[in-house]
């Protein structure tokens, strides 16, 4: 079984450096274009994808619709476990605004944000359930940067720490109880289309 983990395309809040969390911010036109680029790339690669599943937030749902449409594969029911981390009072703020309000260590304060432990627990539960539900299928999963970063920490500890790019693709292969990374945080489809 392969799982292709995708971060949704760019939004206006991404571009402005605002934390989105569970605020439902739509893709912008660049984000839609990024999704089309990844769809085109996946059409040309040797991996075959059977299904696509997204978070219910519109930026992930629309990214998934664009990619699934290009590949001609069904979209499964959205799964709330792969939605972005809840950031509480921090949502909608830029780095400068967060620091001005609460100081450099704002992320250590309790501002209503979901903990790493809770986020990792729902990420691992999702991975377990999806592998049980579709053991012999390859599934694309469109989620969010904060969610994916915590999933990779849960699976691989400190092995991967680079920022998860918009429309990045990570491919994990299920071997017995292990998820082996075949590709990590790849944005080649975007980089090769930048002029």
């Amino acid at each position: 079984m392969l799982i292709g983990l995708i971060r949704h395309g760019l939004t206006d809040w991404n571009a402005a450096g605002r934390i989105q969390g569970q605020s439902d911010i739509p893709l912008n036109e660049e984000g839609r274009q990024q999704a089309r680029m990844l769809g085109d790339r996946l059409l040309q690669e040797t991996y075959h994808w059977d299904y696509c599943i997204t978070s219910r937030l519109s930026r992930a749902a629309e990214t998934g619709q664009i990619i699934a449409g290009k590949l001609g594969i069904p979209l499964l029911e959205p799964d709330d476990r792969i939605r972005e981390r809840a950031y509480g009072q921090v949502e909608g703020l830029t780095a400068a605004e967060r620091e001005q309000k609460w100081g450099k260590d704002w992320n250590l304060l309790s501002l209503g944000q979901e903990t790493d432990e809770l986020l990792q627990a729902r990420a691992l539960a999702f991975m377990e359930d999806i592998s049980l539900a579709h053991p012999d299928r390859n599934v694309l999963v469109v989620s969010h940067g904060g969610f994916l970063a915590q999933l990779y920490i849960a699976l691989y500890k400190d092995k991967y720490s680079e920022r998860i790019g918009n429309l990045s693709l990570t491919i994990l292969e299920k071997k017995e109880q292990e998820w082996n990374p075949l590709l990590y945080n790849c944005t080649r489809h975007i980089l090769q289309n930048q002029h």
Side-chain angles (χ1 to χ4, degrees):
M1 175 188 198
L2 297 179
I3 284 194
L5 295 156
I6 298 166
R7 182 181 175 201
H8 63 79
L10 193 75
T11 70
D12 288 345
W13 277 24
N14 285 147
R18 296 188 183 284
I19 286 192
Q20 294 175 120
Q22 293 181 6
S23 300
D24 199 5
I25 309 304
L27 290 180
N28 62 21
E29 200 41 56
E30 185 177 347
R32 291 181 189 99
Q33 184 57 35
Q34 290 171 336
R36 289 189 284 270
M37 287 177 202
L38 179 56
D40 289 340
R41 171 186 171 174
L42 293 174
L43 277 173
Q44 294 163 14
E45 292 191 342
T46 53
Y47 300 115
H48 167 78
W49 300 101
D50 298 294
Y51 306 113
C52 181
I53 186 168
T54 73
S55 108
R56 208 173 293 279
L57 294 170
S58 64
R59 57 191 184 269
E62 188 180 358
T63 299
Q65 287 162 0
I66 292 168
I67 293 169
K70 284 240 180 216
L71 299 180
I73 60 174
L75 270 172
L76 301 178
E77 189 66 27
D79 194 311
D80 285 331
R81 291 173 299 180
I82 59 175
R83 71 192 182 285
E84 183 59 290
R85 178 200 298 258
Y87 278 99
Q89 299 173 53
V90 180
E91 290 190 16
L93 301 180
T94 64
E97 290 166 342
R98 296 189 298 265
E99 285 184 22
Q100 183 183 4
K101 226 170 168 163
W102 296 295
K104 280 204 188 310
D105 293 328
W106 64 268
N107 56 323
L108 303 176
L109 302 173
S110 182
L111 301 168
Q113 67 271 52
E114 190 174 5
T115 66
D116 290 354
E117 294 73 27
L118 284 171
L119 193 52
Q120 289 177 24
R122 72 173 157 93
L124 292 174
F126 168 79
M127 293 293 281
E128 182 65 22
D129 288 352
I130 199 94
S131 68
L132 290 171
H134 308 284
D136 52 352
R137 295 281 183 249
N138 296 336
V139 182
L140 291 171
V141 175
V142 183
S143 186
H144 305 268
F147 172 88
L148 292 171
Q150 288 301 316
L151 170 61
Y152 302 145
I153 290 169
L155 291 173
Y156 308 115
K157 304 298 175 248
D158 299 324
K159 188 173 174 190
Y160 299 111
S161 59
E162 67 188 72
R163 190 179 163 281
I164 308 300
N166 282 105
L167 249 297
S168 68
L169 174 65
T170 296
I171 299 177
L172 306 182
E173 182 178 28
K174 182 87 189 246
K175 286 272 175 107
E176 277 111 52
Q177 295 311 304
E178 298 288 304
W179 287 101
N180 297 320
L182 305 181
L183 185 70
Y184 177 72
N185 198 22
C186 180
T187 55
R188 186 180 74 227
H189 46 283
I190 294 172
L191 298 174
Q192 69 194 18
N193 283 293
Q194 287 175 342
H195 302 298

